[in-house]
Amino acid sequence: MFALLGWKARSGLGDAPGQGRRRGVRGETYAYWYLRRHGYLLVARNYSAPGAREEIDLVGYDGPVLAFVEVKTRSDPESEPELAVTPEKQRFLRRAAQAFLAERHIDDAPWRFDVLAIRGRPGRPPEVHLHKGAFRGR
């Protein structure tokens, strides 16, 4: 499945103007299969706490550690998608993660925030950078 998705991604992750959401969905789908291929056991996708305006793109276990993964996808080869995870975005993600942990009564599992940055250019496979423990959880 990942090979097929990688092949399809070569045609671009949605580079036309006005396709930001489409690119985001494609990027999250690519990220899902990328993380699965790298051993993550994913348990939630697009999680948002009741009443929250932000969502966590992917939640999964990387071994014994629960990872809250923010996916950032850009089509500009010079961009650094990781930089879009601002301190304000980090605050929202922390709140959503706390809600996730409380809803599921997870008290003792180690957890962290990962950022998966994807740069896609038409005609080439996407460049993927996974930053484990990208920022502090507490």
Side-chain angles (χ1 to χ4, degrees):
M1 182 61 170
F2 185 74
L4 176 64
L5 193 60
W7 176 81
K8 180 69 176 157
R10 287 177 192 249
S11 64
L13 294 170
D15 298 311
Q19 289 190 352
R21 179 68 191 141
R22 184 175 177 190
R23 179 179 50 242
V25 169
R26 285 183 178 180
E28 287 174 17
T29 301
Y30 191 86
Y32 174 87
W33 289 104
Y34 178 88
L35 293 171
R36 286 212 29 197
R37 188 172 193 208
H38 286 86
Y40 281 62
L41 174 63
L42 296 164
V43 297
R45 190 171 180 178
N46 298 322
Y47 169 79
S48 61
R53 68 178 218 194
E54 293 289 333
E55 68 180 22
I56 299 173
D57 296 325
L58 298 166
V59 181
Y61 284 93
D62 180 21
V65 179
L66 184 62
F68 296 98
V69 184
E70 177 66 13
V71 179
K72 290 296 178 189
T73 307
R74 299 291 184 266
S75 57
D76 178 8
E78 302 302 316
S79 71
E80 295 184 45
E82 305 88 335
L83 298 180
V85 184
T86 63
E88 181 181 13
K89 177 72 171 178
Q90 292 175 21
R91 279 193 301 280
F92 287 125
L93 292 171
R94 283 186 192 98
R95 278 191 287 228
Q98 291 292 345
F100 182 92
L101 294 167
E103 278 180 14
R104 287 161 177 79
H105 306 286
I106 300 172
D107 299 321
D108 57 350
W111 54 277
R112 68 172 188 248
F113 290 98
D114 294 350
V115 174
L116 192 129
I118 303 172
R119 279 185 290 226
R121 293 187 286 178
R124 294 190 177 168
E127 268 181 55
V128 180
H129 298 279
L130 175 60
H131 304 277
K132 294 183 179 187
F135 58 93
R136 294 185 56 108
R138 296 181 178 125

